Amino acid sequence: MSIIQVENLSFSYEKSQKTVLKNINLTLEEGEVMTILGPNGAGKSTLLNCIAVLLTPDEGTITLCGKKAGELKPKEVAKILSYVPQNHVPAFSYTVRDFVLMGRAPTVGMFARPDPEDFELVDRTLEEIGILELKDKPYTEISGGERQQATIARAIVAEPKAILFDEPTAHLDYGNQLKTLRLIKGLREKGYAIIITTHDPDHAILLGGTTAILDRNGTLVTGKTEEIVTEETLRTLYDTELSLKNVEGVDRPICVPPDL
């Protein structure tokens, strides 16, 4: 059974006459990673918001683990999907540990309290991501990149079947970008279904799996990464003379921009 299935999805915002997403179709299986590439404004975040049942499409259906997403209660959706948004604005000065612990809400009863195993899972996840030393700091007082890492930890401790990452490396330095990609690859190997949006073709190449190209017209094409991430595709998508080059000692192509 597919974890996520999107069929003939179209979406437009009420105050805009432009259709943002047109006849979108995609399927995501257990243990599959899908990287969505697209230019600014193409609708990558909008698509994730539709899948996460935060927006209602004009047409089409979204199925989560065989059930229509629109018929699921929020708690049922939360047990299937975790969502790491592009930006998270802190509202309260929870400690990082308490903020991440909130990810356990779908599995902890409404009037129940987290048990020691929940706290142990939170601490293990913080350590795996590399921010355990921040656990007692107020979430409002850490950097944007650290908040992004904490938000990723919160998504993981929910132990869903799929995680949606909206540009998870956008606020991270180069080292932490690679660390996050390794983490995502590790989650895939554990059986999670993963969707990640990014502007960087190298991220798609590093992760492998499936890549989806969302163009400026709101149409989506999916395929195996090695087949769909081509020079022709990237040049059309980004309107730039990009090249894919094989570098000695690296067993994969690298996206190379033209000279400035």
Side-chain angles (χ1 to χ4, degrees):
M1 180 186 297
S2 301
I3 305 298
I4 299 172
Q5 187 165 9
V6 178
E7 296 178 287
N8 304 316
L9 182 147
S10 295
F11 179 87
S12 59
Y13 289 100
E14 290 184 4
K15 295 183 179 181
S16 173
Q17 297 180 349
K18 179 184 177 182
T19 300
V20 179
L21 302 172
K22 299 178 182 178
N23 196 35
I24 300 294
N25 291 276
L26 66 84
T27 300
L28 194 70
E29 306 287 344
E30 181 179 346
E32 180 182 3
V33 61
M34 176 182 290
T35 304
I36 301 178
L37 294 173
N40 289 330
K44 300 185 297 299
S45 297
T46 299
L47 176 55
L48 292 193
N49 284 327
C50 287
I51 294 173
V53 202
L54 299 175
L55 293 174
T56 302
D58 301 331
E59 299 177 3
T61 59
I62 299 169
T63 305
L64 303 177
C65 291
K67 299 178 181 179
K68 290 186 177 179
E71 298 176 359
L72 296 174
K73 296 178 181 179
K75 188 171 183 177
E76 293 176 310
V77 174
K79 287 183 177 180
I80 299 172
L81 295 178
S82 283
Y83 185 23
V84 180
Q86 189 175 148
N87 295 296
H88 184 272
V89 179
F92 301 99
S93 56
Y94 298 108
T95 65
V96 168
R97 193 188 197 204
D98 286 342
F99 172 78
V100 174
L101 183 63
M102 292 176 195
R104 297 296 294 160
T107 59
V108 176
M110 183 177 295
F111 299 107
R113 300 185 65 175
D115 57 33
E117 287 76 17
D118 293 313
F119 286 97
E120 289 172 8
L121 174 60
V122 168
D123 288 347
R124 283 199 310 271
T125 305
L126 289 172
E127 185 172 20
E128 182 180 0
I129 291 178
I131 56 170
L132 181 60
E133 73 278 3
L134 300 177
K135 70 176 185 177
D136 296 321
K137 285 193 173 184
Y139 179 73
T140 52
E141 296 179 14
I142 59 177
S143 71
E146 290 167 340
R147 284 202 297 270
Q148 183 76 336
Q149 291 172 298
T151 306
I152 292 172
R154 187 175 68 166
I156 292 171
V157 300
E159 297 183 312
K161 295 184 180 299
I163 305 179
L164 312 180
F165 292 91
D166 192 7
E167 297 191 34
T169 62
H171 303 289
L172 302 180
D173 61 49
Y174 196 74
N176 278 317
Q177 286 184 35
L178 293 177
K179 188 173 182 179
T180 298
L181 293 175
R182 289 191 193 102
L183 176 66
I184 290 171
K185 200 166 184 176
L187 291 170
R188 180 197 67 187
E189 292 168 356
K190 291 178 181 179
Y192 288 90
I194 305 287
I195 296 180
I196 170 177
T197 67
T198 181
H199 290 292
D200 193 333
D202 283 323
H203 292 175
I205 295 169
L206 283 165
L207 290 172
T210 302
T211 293
I213 303 293
L214 184 62
D215 65 23
R216 290 179 175 84
N217 296 316
T219 60
L220 188 81
V221 178
T222 64
K224 293 182 179 179
T225 296
E226 62 269 22
E227 296 175 356
I228 203 167
V229 179
T230 65
E231 288 184 347
E232 181 181 0
T233 299
L234 296 178
R235 289 173 180 179
T236 300
L237 186 66
Y238 295 113
D239 193 24
T240 302
E241 289 297 312
L242 298 172
S243 300
L244 292 175
K245 302 293 185 183
N246 287 306
V247 178
E248 186 177 354
V250 180
D251 189 24
R252 59 177 170 82
I254 294 173
C255 185
V256 180
D259 289 337
L260 300 178

